Amino acid sequence: MEHSNRFEEQMLPLFDSSALAVDADEAEATTLPQGRLPSYIKDHRARLRERFMSGGAFAIPDYELLELILFRSIPRQDVKPLARRLLDQFGDFNRVVTASPERLGDVQGIGQAVICDLKILEAAAQRMARAKVMQRQVISSWDALLDYCHTAMAHRETEQFRVLYLDRKNTLIADEEQGRGTVDHVPVYPREVAKRALELNASALILVHNHPSGDPTPSQADISMTRKVVAALEALGITLHDHLIIGASDELSFRSEGLL
């Protein structure tokens, strides 16, 4: 959704009577004249970058980490108000980065440059987490596998269904999204899951889907679907190792819960 008063296009005076009452770093978003950045913004950016480089991500709060990203997207404005606005809208850093382009576009001040940079950051985070589990035995990298699933799925606003395909040594050979759905449902086709396992010569697999509500408790539909997948795989001599439901901060394992 496009806004006529985008952050990078907003025409406001650099100083007014209300702005004089707040710290320069907290000043409202302002479109700056061409030329040099005002010293208060330039110095703030330099201090923030230095603090990040010396202390890492743990040395700065979420809104300042967002500022560092927004510096790249919006080079000529005070972006602190926009960083705070994003956190107010979505709740935390992860939810900002994983928000859909449509919802990001609804936030005042967000244009295509910001959306693109946030989606690049999301893709990079998922790519890095995925690299820690692909072509590795899931037993020895189980924690990394859970981290990857949470990175990829925990903050999505709709359900997503993935299948992790394993070879005879339980090495992860493929990670594929099988479907996307609504806030509380995603279509799953057991025959298609089994067919794809044969195509990949997989010996076992793990089902993974998320609950946008944040509660990983399985529904009766989740349990029924899992049983249908088990039946389709057993006919082919393929094992279902587990079905993971990813919540906002934790996950549920069907095998650990005695549901497999």
Side-chain angles (χ1 to χ4, degrees):
M1 177 179 178
E2 296 293 337
H3 295 275
S4 59
N5 59 339
R6 281 186 185 172
F7 195 84
E8 63 267 32
E9 297 171 356
Q10 196 174 7
M11 299 301 294
L12 299 174
L14 182 56
F15 297 108
D16 60 26
S17 57
S18 61
L20 294 175
V22 298
D23 182 80
D25 284 350
E26 296 286 349
E28 285 298 313
T30 306
T31 295
L32 304 171
Q34 295 297 319
R36 294 183 179 180
L37 279 173
S39 60
Y40 76 87
I41 293 181
K42 183 177 180 181
D43 292 347
H44 169 65
R45 292 188 173 198
R47 290 194 303 270
L48 187 53
R49 289 187 175 111
E50 181 180 357
R51 187 145 46 88
F52 174 76
M53 292 304 296
S54 62
F58 293 107
I60 58 177
D62 280 359
Y63 79 89
E64 290 185 332
L65 189 59
L66 272 176
E67 280 192 81
L68 287 168
I69 297 166
L70 294 171
F71 289 168
R72 313 290 297 183
S73 313
I74 306 175
R76 293 194 45 74
Q77 272 125 10
D78 174 12
V79 296
K80 180 177 288 185
L82 181 55
R84 291 188 181 278
R85 194 178 305 148
L86 284 166
L87 289 172
D88 288 343
Q89 177 70 28
F90 296 107
D92 61 32
F93 184 86
N94 285 338
R95 287 181 172 84
V96 171
V97 174
T98 58
S100 68
E102 293 76 18
R103 289 201 63 198
L104 287 169
D106 286 339
V107 177
Q108 181 185 5
I110 294 293
Q112 286 302 310
V114 172
I115 293 173
C116 183
D117 283 353
L118 289 174
K119 292 299 98 181
I120 290 171
L121 180 61
E122 180 188 16
Q126 292 184 12
R127 190 73 59 89
M128 293 173 67
R130 189 172 186 267
K132 295 180 180 180
V133 297
M134 288 303 300
Q135 302 301 323
R136 299 190 182 187
Q137 289 188 331
V138 295
I139 295 176
S140 61
S141 58
W142 189 251
D143 288 343
L145 180 68
L146 294 179
D147 286 344
Y148 166 59
C149 291
H150 277 279
T151 299
M153 305 172 72
H155 300 293
R156 292 186 177 273
E157 296 170 346
T158 58
E159 285 199 13
Q160 180 190 59
F161 181 74
R162 308 180 77 88
V163 182
L164 310 180
Y165 295 94
L166 314 175
D167 66 11
R168 295 182 183 277
K169 296 181 179 179
N170 286 329
T171 297
L172 182 59
I173 57 175
D175 158 36
E176 297 184 354
E177 179 182 320
Q178 297 293 314
R180 297 186 183 187
T182 63
V183 294
D184 59 3
H185 174 72
V186 60
V188 179
Y189 305 100
R191 289 184 180 180
E192 292 301 315
V193 173
K195 178 183 176 182
R196 184 57 177 155
L198 286 177
E199 292 172 350
L200 293 169
N201 196 30
S203 296
L205 51 83
I206 298 171
L207 307 179
V208 189
H209 85 280
N210 64 308
H211 278 182
S213 68
D215 180 1
T217 303
S219 67
Q220 190 56 49
D222 293 334
I223 295 171
S224 176
M225 177 272 292
T226 304
R227 289 172 179 168
K228 291 177 181 178
V229 172
V230 169
L233 294 175
E234 284 181 343
L236 303 173
I238 300 172
T239 301
L240 179 62
H241 276 329
D242 209 341
H243 181 176
L244 301 174
I245 300 181
I246 305 299
S249 59
D250 56 359
E251 70 285 331
L252 180 138
S253 160
F254 269 51
R255 187 161 297 281
S256 295
E257 294 295 317
L259 296 172
L260 272 180

